[in-house]
Amino acid sequence: MTYRNLLFEKEDSIGLLTINRPQVLNALNRETMTEISQVVGKIATDPEVAVLIITGAGEKSFVAGADISEMRTLSALEGRAWSKFSQATFNAIENLPQPVIAAVNGYALGGGCELAMSCDIRIASDKAKFGQPEVLLGVVAAFAGTQRLPRLIGKGRAKELLFTGDQIDAAEACRIGLVNKVVPAGELLTAAKALAAKIISRGPVAVQLCKAAVNEGLDMDLESAQAYEAEVFGLCFATADQKEGMNAFVEKRPAKFTGK
């Protein structure tokens, strides 16, 4: 399927999703968000995609935010509906069974920062900029930025960014835990694909269960989360990958996982 605002390709079990509106710095309008929702729904059940990478077209921007020209005339009810739809779309990314890597190649502002935060891991170009500038427009972050940002970097730092609308560079984003790694701009996709390949080489079922355990467990009390972890650990012993992985370890050879 082709998309007007996205590019999607698959290579060696890696899916690469590119937000492709460079003429407006990849700003998210309703059509783009709808297409993201559609492609993410397909990826969720695609056995050919083990890891998804999300990036932006062009050299300047990952996603510079939501499309203000489209958003500025919304009514209160339309604004709430837009927020809920976009939150649901980013929740679908967060809840994909496959790991998702954001390759942040430039501006990740507003909805772009929120998109990156919905991914499991963030790798940033040394030219990337992050921020939640919604208060400069008289509104609040609406795609779960007020919720994911404090969960990632802590309440105090998140409030400072949300209250001021200030931008931070990639080095500062890495220092405070918003991104995992910063690499030179020309090496960004290579680094993201190398990380994806490393993840793919691990037990696929175990990786997906790890993601589920972290995502589900963070919303539980510690005792319940530990019980959930024990359940998914037990499930691993019903897989061929567990037997292969442990036998390979004992036999001192590389494991050959099949995802079964």
Side-chain angles (χ1 to χ4, degrees), residues 34 50 56 58 72 79 90 98 101 103 105-106 121 150 170-171 186 191 226-227 235 245-246:
T34 299
R72 64 193 177 102
F90 288 178
Q98 302 97 325
I101 300 169
N105 53 305
I121 298 169
Q226 288 175 327
L235 282 177
M246 292 192 174

Side-chain angles (χ1 to χ4, degrees), residues 128-152:
K129 302 283 187 182
F130 297 82
Q132 298 289 163
E134 288 85 356
V135 293
L136 301 176
L137 303 172
V139 294
V140 303
F143 302 171
T146 63
Q147 304 308 308
R148 286 197 175 96
L149 191 60
R151 285 167 166 79
L152 279 170

Side-chain angles (χ1 to χ4, degrees), residues 132 149 153 156-166 168 176:
Q132 298 289 163
L149 191 60
I153 67 173
R157 287 194 177 106
K159 284 181 175 179
E160 181 179 355
L161 290 176
L162 290 163
F163 294 175
T164 64
D166 286 348
I168 58 173
I176 66 176

Side-chain angles (χ1 to χ4, degrees), residues 160-181:
E160 181 179 355
L161 290 176
L162 290 163
F163 294 175
T164 64
D166 286 348
Q167 295 180 26
I168 58 173
D169 62 20
E172 177 66 3
C174 189
R175 187 187 73 82
I176 66 176
L178 183 54
V179 302
N180 298 69
K181 182 187 301 185

Side-chain angles (χ1 to χ4, degrees), residues 173-243:
C174 189
R175 187 187 73 82
I176 66 176
L178 183 54
V179 302
N180 298 69
K181 182 187 301 185
V182 179
V183 299
E187 300 174 15
L188 179 63
L189 275 182
T190 299
K193 289 179 179 179
L195 178 58
K198 178 182 285 190
I199 293 169
I200 289 168
S201 73
R202 279 31 175 178
V205 177
V207 168
Q208 292 191 9
L209 288 174
C210 275
K211 176 170 177 173
V214 172
N215 284 358
E216 296 294 331
L218 282 174
D219 292 326
M220 300 177 184
D221 62 84
L222 182 58
E223 185 177 358
S224 298
Q226 288 175 327
Y228 186 89
E229 179 185 82
E231 292 297 323
V232 297
F233 177 69
L235 282 177
C236 292
F237 287 83
T239 68
D241 279 355
Q242 172 269 325
K243 295 171 180 60

Side-chain angles (χ1 to χ4, degrees), residues 6-227:
L6 306 176
L7 300 173
F8 180 66
E9 57 186 296
K10 292 184 281 189
E11 180 183 348
D12 298 328
S13 299
I14 300 171
L16 178 62
L17 174 61
T18 304
I19 314 301
N20 188 35
R21 301 184 76 214
Q23 70 279 9
V24 290
L25 300 180
N26 302 319
L28 299 171
N29 61 3
R30 181 170 292 277
E31 183 180 51
T32 304
M33 196 69 83
T34 299
E35 290 184 351
I36 293 172
S37 180
Q38 291 170 346
V39 73
V40 168
K42 294 180 183 297
I43 291 168
T45 57
D46 189 343
E48 294 181 354
V49 177
V51 175
L52 175 65
I53 297 172
I54 300 179
T55 194
E59 298 181 358
K60 292 183 178 180
S61 183
F62 174 69
V63 168
D67 193 326
I68 306 303
S69 62
E70 183 181 83
M71 204 167 47
R72 64 193 177 102
T73 59
L74 295 180
S75 69
L77 290 178
E78 289 169 337
R80 184 176 66 178
W82 173 231
S83 175
K84 286 183 174 293
F85 173 66
S86 300
Q87 288 173 354
T89 299
F90 288 178
N91 287 345
I93 293 172
E94 184 174 55
N95 294 320
L96 274 173
Q98 302 97 325
V100 185
I101 300 169
V104 182
N105 53 305
Y107 291 113
L109 305 176
C113 188
E114 289 164 311
L115 172 59
M117 290 191 291
S118 73
C119 300
D120 299 301
I121 298 169
R122 285 153 293 282
I123 300 178
S125 153
D126 56 5
K127 296 180 179 179
K129 302 283 187 182
F130 297 82
Q132 298 289 163
E134 288 85 356
V135 293
L136 301 176
L137 303 172
V139 294
V140 303
F143 302 171
T146 63
Q147 304 308 308
R148 286 197 175 96
L149 191 60
R151 285 167 166 79
L152 279 170
I153 67 173
K155 188 163 65 173
R157 287 194 177 106
K159 284 181 175 179
E160 181 179 355
L161 290 176
L162 290 163
F163 294 175
T164 64
D166 286 348
Q167 295 180 26
I168 58 173
D169 62 20
E172 177 66 3
C174 189
R175 187 187 73 82
I176 66 176
L178 183 54
V179 302
N180 298 69
K181 182 187 301 185
V182 179
V183 299
E187 300 174 15
L188 179 63
L189 275 182
T190 299
K193 289 179 179 179
L195 178 58
K198 178 182 285 190
I199 293 169
I200 289 168
S201 73
R202 279 31 175 178
V205 177
V207 168
Q208 292 191 9
L209 288 174
C210 275
K211 176 170 177 173
V214 172
N215 284 358
E216 296 294 331
L218 282 174
D219 292 326
M220 300 177 184
D221 62 84
L222 182 58
E223 185 177 358
S224 298
Q226 288 175 327

